[in-house]
Amino acid sequence: MKTKILLGILIALLTIQTVLALGVRPAKTSIAVDDFEGDNIQIEGKLWVVNNEHRQFTVGIYLDGEMADFVKLKTSEKKLTFTPEDDAKEIEFEIKFKKEDVPPGVSTAYIVIEETLENDNPDVVASKVVLKHKILFQGPYPDKYIEMQVNFHQKGKDIELVSEVKNLGKKDIEQLQTTFYVNDKEQEQQEAETETTSLPTTESKLLKTTIAKDNFAEAGEYEVTAVTKYDDQKIELYKSLVIGKPEVEISYFDKYFIANKVNQYTLDLLNKWNKLIPNVYVDVKVLKEDKEIDNFRTKSVDIEGEMIKRVSDYLDAKDKGPGLYTFEMTVNYWNLVRMDQRTFTFESNLVTEEDAKNLNIAPPSLTGAATGYASGSFGAIAPWVLIGILLGIIGFYLGWRYLNKKSSDGNYNNGNKPS
């Protein structure tokens, strides 16, 4: 751990020194589209890459960003090589666009200057600098234009849904309203509307409404669609409503194993979240009389939302005699932003083979999933289904014999006995 920290500090120091040694002037170019006359705009620009410490290095040059197609480097060389005698080198560029092609608000392009490392040895600690000259396009706003953000807050038994709206257009908005749509725990769409209001230009407002928390599970992730209508236009925004956090628990582990043998174990993992949780595995410590005598890790599995996943593998108990053992299990799973853990403790008996026969040890059917799916349940009822079918066939045959015999007796009584 200390080695990693020292390595990180060393790389940071190297990066700081290299940044100071290399600079870009100016740092940005700003373009206000409304300041130009005509529709076809052409701008010539320059920047300088500065060799502050007069060292030798090479940089590559390329374009990036959503507006990169409107920028062109005027030099055919995509690299600059500096010697200790070079103070700075110039990069010329050209910007060409039509006003109608620039979206409202701020959009960006970058001229990227990236240092080229000559030493590719993986054992050598090195750093390279990536500097960016930012080109900002400020596109004009139309008469009616809003910017919106969506937030959620839990308030007791309700969830408050909030849309923050700012009028960036040139005219006032007379009617403004947000409607929120979200599927609840039963996958039925819930709808909540804010009040209708007006919004003068350059001003902001918070539009609020609530929805009952009972519509959702205790833990889950739900996609909310916020539709804001302003006069004759509308804008849609999507955001996840997160309640609680993902959890995985162990719902079953075997109570008995056979001592001095290799046993198949059964472990059921329940995903209490309503979305898939990937890469779930369990670290297991085996203890006897509070002393760790063994440890192992299960295979990794993905578990669908609100479902159980059964993990079956083998426990090597060839060197473990009869007795009570403690299994300390740490479930590792991916939370919203990081790996999380939950620890469970189970006690299992290791018994002799004779005791195992008397106990009739067998894992249970897989239950507990929200959908009611149970793996292995058919195997448990299959013998009874076969017995029922067999009894039905026997009953049908006996009934058929009885009816035929009765019909035959009736013919004799009517004097129709054959000669």
Side-chain angles (χ1 to χ4, degrees), residues 112-127:
V112 184
I113 296 94
E114 181 174 345
E115 186 177 11
T116 302
L117 296 179
E118 296 179 0
N119 194 336
D120 295 329
N121 188 340
D123 297 325
V124 175
V125 178
S127 65

Side-chain angles (χ1 to χ4, degrees), residues 29-33 35-36 41 43 95 97 135-139:
T29 297
S30 297
I31 300 170
V33 176
D35 291 345
F36 294 88
I41 313 300
I43 302 169
I95 303 169
F97 61 88
I135 302 173
L136 299 173
F137 294 80
Q138 177 64 59

